[in-house]
Amino acid sequence: MTKEKVLITGGAGFIGSHLCDRFLSEGYQVIAMDNLLTGEIQNIKHLMSQPDFELLHHDVSNYVHITGNLKYIMHFASPASPIDYLKMPIQTMKVGSRGTLNCLGLAKAKGARILIASTSEIYGDPLIHPQQEDYWGNVNPIGPRGVYDEAKRFQEAVTMAYHRFHGLETRIARIFNTFGPRMRLCDGRALPTFISQALRNEDLTVFGDGSQTRSFTYVDDLIDGVYRLLLSNYPYPVNIGNPEEITIKEFGEEIIKITGSKSKIVYLDLPKDDPKQRKPDISRAKKELDWKPKYNRVEGLKPTLEYFQKKVSD
């Protein structure tokens, strides 16, 4: 019996590689597509010998062709941290626009269901708290973060256009801050930065006064939420995140404590348009997907810290 096939763009990335693991464990043939701009071969090295896994070194912003039948497309290709999309603004806009259009066109041609990875950055610097899916956001379209925010907002709009006009089966996951093994040390986001600084006993760099909040989701929870959303019948955006909120200053102090580091916290100027609050309302995910996080932040930090300790010592 032929196994069903799934295409995962950004498949060598942090979240994409975990998706590859999940779909292989569920009995699918997996094609990971990645141009390795921010993805890493090391993330999928353990899958290379598996007969049901294939890596295509390709940029999804260019024409995409997959032979044979295709059951699902998971579009997770994109620079996703400020340090990346500020360095690669054009590529970020292209993968959110051309890349998404290519994936939607492929889904239409193959009769495949497609799930796109959107983001909590859709909400910009939010004026409501916590953030619900029916909130339209507070985004600066011409600010430095606009290249990522607006690429994702376009991605959602064009996905819904294909759903409404072509009857395409579409799913939209609005992903909140996610952490776990396979994050890059140089990612630039708070968690990998703090952990790598703490393990080296360097000062932890907090932007602003550290009163801004974030909500961190362990990667296993995220993957389960995304998988449930794909298999659901719900075509509209769904927040996938952990509502457990913490200030950046408190989070830095927590990292120093669990690592036993001699680090101190230092404060730098807040980047332009940096969100002051970030917390998902997950009522929709609970109702439509029967999903909520299983892991709290501290539980997820243990395997994450072990991964980073090995990376720092390598």
Side-chain angles (χ1 to χ4, degrees):
M1 180 178 169
T2 304
K3 293 185 176 181
E4 291 176 331
K5 192 185 300 180
V6 57
L7 169 66
I8 301 174
T9 72
F14 161 47
I15 293 175
S17 63
H18 285 280
L19 277 173
C20 291
D21 289 339
R22 177 63 183 261
F23 277 94
L24 285 167
S25 73
E26 297 285 351
Y28 290 87
Q29 281 188 311
V30 173
I31 301 172
M33 180 178 289
D34 208 302
N35 64 357
L36 302 179
L37 199 63
T38 59
E40 298 179 350
I41 288 290
Q42 192 64 34
N43 290 338
I44 51 172
K45 190 177 180 181
H46 64 292
L47 303 177
M48 292 299 203
S49 61
Q50 294 204 25
D52 289 328
F53 179 78
E54 179 184 359
L55 172 64
L56 293 182
H57 187 187
H58 182 74
D59 187 342
V60 71
S61 299
N62 298 324
Y63 178 74
V64 177
H65 174 70
I66 302 293
T67 57
N69 294 326
L70 201 56
K71 180 73 172 178
Y72 300 124
I73 298 171
M74 311 291 285
H75 183 32
F76 277 72
S78 178
S81 73
I83 199 171
D84 289 331
Y85 55 72
L86 294 177
K87 194 191 313 178
M88 298 176 282
I90 308 302
Q91 293 97 322
T92 301
M93 295 293 285
K94 279 183 177 179
V95 76
S97 54
R98 287 183 189 172
T100 303
L101 283 164
N102 287 338
C103 287
L104 289 165
L106 180 64
K108 181 173 175 284
K110 298 288 186 179
R113 179 178 297 182
I114 181 170
L115 182 146
I116 67 157
S118 188
T119 172
S120 60
E121 295 296 329
I122 284 284
Y123 303 119
D125 187 6
L127 301 177
I128 68 163
H129 194 72
Q131 291 80 57
Q132 300 170 320
E133 290 90 347
D134 56 4
Y135 174 53
W136 293 353
N138 178 41
V139 172
N140 177 2
I142 61 169
R145 301 174 72 103
V147 296
Y148 184 66
D149 299 359
E150 294 296 353
K152 291 296 188 179
R153 287 162 75 90
F154 172 84
Q155 187 180 56
E156 288 198 10
V158 75
T159 297
M160 288 308 302
Y162 266 73
H163 171 72
R164 293 186 177 112
F165 189 77
H166 292 299
L168 198 65
E169 288 197 36
T170 58
R171 306 290 181 265
I172 300 173
R174 285 189 184 158
I175 297 170
F176 282 67
N177 291 70
T178 302
F179 72 98
R182 301 181 199 161
M183 291 191 90
R184 291 177 300 147
L185 283 171
C186 59
D187 182 277
R189 285 177 278 197
L191 189 144
T193 300
F194 285 175
I195 291 181
S196 57
Q197 288 171 336
L199 291 176
R200 296 182 176 119
N201 290 306
E202 299 170 354
D203 290 338
L204 267 64
T205 49
V206 168
F207 294 110
D209 62 5
S211 63
Q212 65 271 38
T213 69
R214 295 294 182 268
S215 304
F216 297 99
T217 312
Y218 186 56
V219 66
D220 287 5
D221 280 331
L222 177 84
I223 297 301
D224 187 52
V226 166
Y227 189 78
R228 287 173 183 240
L229 175 58
L230 175 72
L231 298 186
S232 77
N233 293 315
Y234 196 77
Y236 302 106
V238 178
N239 288 338
I240 308 290
N242 191 324
E244 188 180 10
E245 188 179 19
I246 188 171
T247 69
I248 292 297
K249 180 178 183 291
E250 290 169 337
F251 184 56
E253 292 167 345
E254 184 175 80
I255 295 297
I256 291 172
K257 183 178 179 181
I258 66 169
T259 57
S261 175
K262 297 181 175 66
S263 300
K264 301 281 193 296
I265 291 177
V266 297
Y267 298 91
L268 303 177
D269 291 340
L270 194 66
K272 185 174 174 57
D273 302 325
D274 192 64
K276 297 176 190 68
Q277 295 176 305
R278 188 69 91 229
K279 176 182 176 178
D281 181 320
I282 60 169
S283 304
R284 185 176 289 181
K286 287 178 178 177
K287 178 185 176 186
E288 300 294 340
L289 313 180
D290 191 24
W291 176 88
K292 64 180 179 180
K294 294 178 183 175
Y295 300 93
N296 63 37
R297 187 179 58 257
V298 175
E299 289 169 333
L301 280 172
K302 185 179 177 183
T304 307
L305 181 57
E306 290 171 357
Y307 175 82
F308 274 89
Q309 284 170 327
K310 185 174 184 301
K311 293 285 282 187
V312 167
S313 62
D314 283 349

